[in-house]
Amino acid sequence: MGEEKMLARKTNCSGSPPPPALGRNLSVALHALLAVAAFGMFALLRGQDAPSARQENSTRPDAGVLKPVPNFEVTAKEDFISPDDLLEVYVVDVAEISREYRVSPGGSITVPLLNDPIPATGLVPAQLAQAIGERLRAAGMVTNPQVTVAIKESRLRCVAVTGAVSRPQLYPFSGRTTLLDVISQAGGLADEAGTTAVITRGDLAMRVLSRGRRDETEPPRVVTADLKRLLETGDSELNLDLYPGDRVTVQRAGVFYVVGAVNRPGGFTLKNDREEMTVLKALALAEDLKPTAIRNKAMILRKNTRMPEGREEIALNLQRILAGRAPDQPVKADDILFVPDSSSKRAMRRGAEAAIQIATGVIIWRR
């Protein structure tokens, strides 16, 4: 009976004993199948937790769209020292040297107690600090100099605003900056400001604006903006973006002067370079003549370098011009229209000198 049970354990389903090689092959196949199943389950779980980059990008709404890079995300070589930069140098235990330095137009700084200037342009602050330390050590002033240099102001990180603004200077660049932003920082337009601003692009702006252009031509280096339209309409397309290294120049409007026997003497700005100003228009802006005006003795004083005194006197007979019997004369920028007063004998004798003296202190009227 025991032998029959042992024989049953060693037989297969058909009742015959299995071959030894077949049993080993089945065991190997079973282990391989279990390994493949485990690997597949692991990959499936990982795929559910972390979708592929291609799948993620394809589901983004802005996939495949080339966006312009905002100007405040573009970095320049702002760590390199350039002429006119303001540096802050600190040397441990040497108070005579620890102060601010302005880089000269030639690209160097002059450190007290050192004979020769130290080249700075093109260096990063750490390199300049090392150069200063080596000079101090070579001069026998400090055995183990510890020097730090920082760029406090840099024209590469600033926008220059010049021309007819209240406070022309360099303004630090921070974030997105537009034309109106820098004019506001400059205190607004001056009284003699014209209607045009000229923007000269720096190297960084040229690189940024060249991106994404379909043609191979470079963007214009010099751009003009119509300030009158910008201020009146607030058109965002006219409010140009600025970049570090740009220069904004607000052009001055032409100014002419009407002085003497008029009701509103002063300086008046031309709206633009194309405006045609005449004597009759100028008298209208000056609110007409006074009753004591000597109409046939008026004159225009105009700058002329070819004349002995640097100006010419153009005689006017306002009586005939107002009556239409003489042509209206043009008035140009910097002209002085002088109308003598019968109550002032001195003004009649020395009309030109009196007109110039009066014009130097007049108020400039904006229209």
Side-chain angles (χ1 to χ4, degrees):
M1 186 68 179
E3 293 179 357
E4 293 178 357
K5 292 181 178 179
M6 293 292 294
L7 182 61
R9 292 175 184 175
K10 296 180 180 179
T11 57
N12 54 17
C13 295
S14 62
S16 59
L22 181 59
R24 289 195 299 272
N25 293 338
L26 288 175
S27 177
V28 173
L30 181 60
H31 283 81
L33 183 61
L34 290 175
V36 171
F39 180 78
M41 183 63 68
F42 174 76
L44 179 61
L45 292 176
R46 184 173 182 179
Q48 291 177 351
D49 294 337
S52 64
R54 179 179 300 177
Q55 181 180 358
E56 181 182 0
N57 292 336
S58 63
T59 57
R60 290 175 53 188
D62 57 349
V65 179
L66 181 61
K67 294 183 176 181
V69 181
N71 56 3
F72 53 83
E73 292 182 2
V74 180
T75 57
K77 294 181 179 179
E78 55 185 20
D79 288 334
F80 286 93
I81 300 171
S82 59
D84 298 327
D85 284 359
L86 182 62
L87 308 179
E88 188 171 5
V89 178
Y90 176 72
V91 183
V92 177
D93 296 332
V94 186
E96 296 82 0
I97 299 178
S98 301
R99 61 182 181 86
E100 294 179 352
Y101 295 86
R102 176 73 67 177
V103 181
S104 68
S108 62
I109 62 173
T110 301
V111 178
L113 307 179
L114 294 180
N115 295 328
D116 299 325
I118 301 177
T121 299
L123 302 179
V124 297
Q127 291 174 328
L128 179 59
Q130 181 180 359
I132 295 174
E134 292 176 354
R135 291 286 188 93
L136 295 175
R137 188 183 298 108
M141 298 176 56
V142 183
T143 305
N144 186 21
Q146 299 180 22
V147 184
T148 59
V149 177
I151 302 176
K152 192 172 183 179
E153 294 179 3
S154 175
R155 65 182 180 86
L156 295 181
R157 287 181 287 182
C158 295
V159 175
V161 185
T162 61
V165 292
S166 298
R167 296 189 300 271
Q169 56 182 297
L170 291 174
Y171 289 91
F173 187 90
S174 60
R176 182 183 179 187
T177 302
T178 63
L179 177 59
L180 285 181
D181 291 336
V182 298
I183 292 178
S184 177
Q185 293 180 27
L189 299 175
D191 291 337
E192 69 275 16
T195 60
T196 304
V198 179
I199 302 172
T200 304
R201 296 295 191 183
D203 294 336
L204 176 60
M206 295 298 291
R207 291 197 300 269
V208 174
L209 296 176
S210 297
R211 296 178 181 177
R213 293 178 66 92
R214 298 184 181 277
D215 53 10
E216 297 182 356
T217 60
E218 290 187 353
R221 174 74 70 171
V222 179
V223 184
T224 58
D226 190 336
L227 293 179
K228 186 173 184 295
R229 282 186 55 200
L230 175 59
L231 296 174
E232 290 179 353
T233 65
D235 190 352
S236 58
E237 293 185 359
L238 299 175
N239 193 19
L240 301 176
D241 285 334
L242 301 177
Y243 300 84
D246 287 355
R247 176 179 293 273
V248 178
T249 303
V250 178
Q251 293 185 339
R252 302 181 186 276
V255 180
F256 65 93
Y257 306 88
V258 183
V259 296
V262 292
N263 293 313
R264 189 192 179 194
F268 301 89
T269 60
L270 297 170
K271 293 181 179 180
N272 52 62
D273 296 337
R274 299 180 299 276
E275 182 180 12
E276 295 181 359
M277 182 57 57
T278 65
V279 169
L280 291 180
K281 290 181 180 179
L283 291 177
L285 292 173
E287 299 180 0
D288 207 355
L289 300 170
K290 289 182 176 181
T292 56
I294 305 178
R295 303 192 176 197
N296 60 346
K297 296 291 184 179
M299 67 181 69
I300 293 178
L301 305 179
R302 180 169 297 164
K303 291 182 178 180
N304 190 342
T305 57
R306 292 176 295 182
M307 302 298 292
E309 297 182 358
R311 65 175 183 271
E312 61 178 324
E313 300 179 6
I314 303 174
L316 298 174
N317 189 333
L318 297 181
Q319 186 72 36
R320 294 178 58 83
I321 294 176
L322 290 171
R325 294 195 297 269
D328 194 5
Q329 297 294 322
V331 176
K332 301 180 180 180
D334 298 325
D335 280 359
I336 300 175
L337 173 57
F338 175 62
V339 182
D341 194 322
S342 60
S343 61
S344 175
K345 296 181 179 180
R346 182 182 178 185
M348 292 178 62
R349 292 195 303 266
R350 303 181 59 191
E353 289 77 4
I356 294 174
Q357 291 177 3
I358 296 173
T360 56
V362 300
I363 300 174
I364 296 178
W365 302 96
R366 295 183 62 85
R367 293 178 284 153

